Amino acid sequence: MSNPTRPTPSQLTRRGVLAAAGAVAAGAAFAPPAAAAAAYDVEYVSRAAWGADEQKRFKADGAENSPALYCQAQALTVHHTDTANDDPDPAATVRAIYEHHAVSNDWGDIGYHFLIDESGRIYEGRWSGDDGLPAHDRQGRVVTGFHVEGFNSGNLGIALLATLTDRPPTDAAEASLVRLVAAMCRFHGLDPRARMTYTNPVSKATREVTTLAGHRDWMRTGCPGGTMYSRLPAVREAAAKRATRRRSLIADR
């Protein structure tokens, strides 16, 4: 993969992030609308940068396969992708997951909102519009993904690119997970440690979970892997502390 100079946050505006990122490995700083700008402090690899073919979101007749539905965020869910560890080309793996989800599964897009590779790079997942706020619409509502059957709306999915059944996430991946969870919780006013009742705004199905949950908290599955699941209490605590610290720094400006 090529490594062009990463643009600085001041060079990026809204979805101009996508035009600026011309290579798979290029990272871009979040550039949300001004009202939300202070909520983000996480860099990510845009869909254009990791090579998303946007045509895969559409049917043969040109209709969008899964039109975006936006809901208020209630929960965040951690997954592992059950793909190769020590991946030499994680962007290619993201593209393969996109192909599988969008085309083979006929979901119309990648199921996760964000993905994190072993070096700590964060990748933009599910398409959310052209307003420059990844995973959200202009009002800050989360686009519905495809990562927890029956409990997707208002549930933000983050997947670690690895198999974490018997091996923990890398330090870099876990650090990025903490940063991302803290940013999302700060933005939405959520406590990642809190027990809550999630209510699907579409089906009205409910589930008692921790705000930051693992995939297995929603259904019978081994995801996000035993070692990653055992790390979730530490991730919750670290994310909560970071969110509080960043909120204080922003308030003091």
Side-chain angles (χ1 to χ4, degrees):
M1 295 186 293
S2 59
N3 271 302
T5 300
R6 178 175 297 178
T8 64
S10 62
Q11 294 173 312
L12 301 169
T13 57
R14 300 204 176 192
R15 230 4 108 149
V17 137
L18 301 182
V24 165
F30 276 113
Y40 289 96
D41 62 349
V42 181
E43 293 184 337
Y44 72 103
V45 178
S46 70
R47 287 174 65 93
W50 59 255
D53 178 358
E54 300 297 353
Q55 291 303 311
K56 296 183 189 299
R57 297 192 293 107
F58 297 89
K59 300 178 181 179
D61 63 2
E64 191 172 6
N65 193 0
S66 296
L69 170 68
Y70 303 95
C71 300
Q72 180 179 346
Q74 301 179 56
L76 300 88
T77 300
V78 176
H79 303 257
H80 73 162
T81 56
D82 203 21
T83 52
N85 295 322
D86 305 313
D87 189 345
D89 193 350
T93 300
V94 174
R95 292 192 296 273
I97 294 170
Y98 177 41
E99 171 78 20
H100 181 68
H101 286 183
V103 179
S104 300
N105 289 356
D106 197 31
W107 295 345
D109 205 343
I110 195 165
Y112 312 113
H113 295 88
F114 296 99
L115 304 94
I116 302 174
D117 71 20
E118 291 167 298
S119 70
R121 281 188 298 261
I122 298 171
Y123 298 77
E124 179 183 18
R126 169 79 161 110
W127 184 87
S128 62
D130 292 317
D131 58 11
L133 191 58
H136 300 78
D137 68 359
R138 188 178 296 274
Q139 285 72 47
R141 298 173 299 176
V142 175
V143 65
T144 298
F146 320 96
H147 61 102
V148 181
E149 185 177 3
F151 303 100
N152 279 307
S153 295
N155 188 349
L156 193 148
I158 304 170
L160 277 71
L161 291 166
T163 296
L164 303 176
T165 304
D166 300 311
R167 139 177 191 172
T170 64
D171 290 345
E174 184 167 324
S176 288
L177 177 61
V178 167
R179 285 196 299 273
L180 181 58
V181 169
M184 294 297 99
C185 286
R186 188 172 63 252
F187 182 52
H188 292 291
L190 300 174
D191 181 348
R193 305 162 299 185
R195 291 292 295 178
M196 50 87 73
T197 301
Y198 164 91
T199 302
N200 188 314
V202 178
S203 69
K204 307 307 177 186
T206 62
R207 179 61 57 89
E208 294 288 331
V209 293
T210 307
T211 300
L212 177 63
H215 189 182
R216 64 176 65 180
D217 292 320
W218 300 92
M219 58 182 53
R220 189 181 297 276
T221 176
C223 184
T227 51
M228 181 64 247
Y229 191 75
S230 71
R231 294 296 305 158
L232 286 182
V235 170
R236 292 183 186 110
E237 286 297 328
K241 290 178 181 177
R242 182 180 177 88
T244 299
R245 186 167 62 249
R246 291 290 301 175
R247 193 177 293 118
S248 297
L249 289 173
I250 292 167
D252 290 341
R253 288 177 183 172

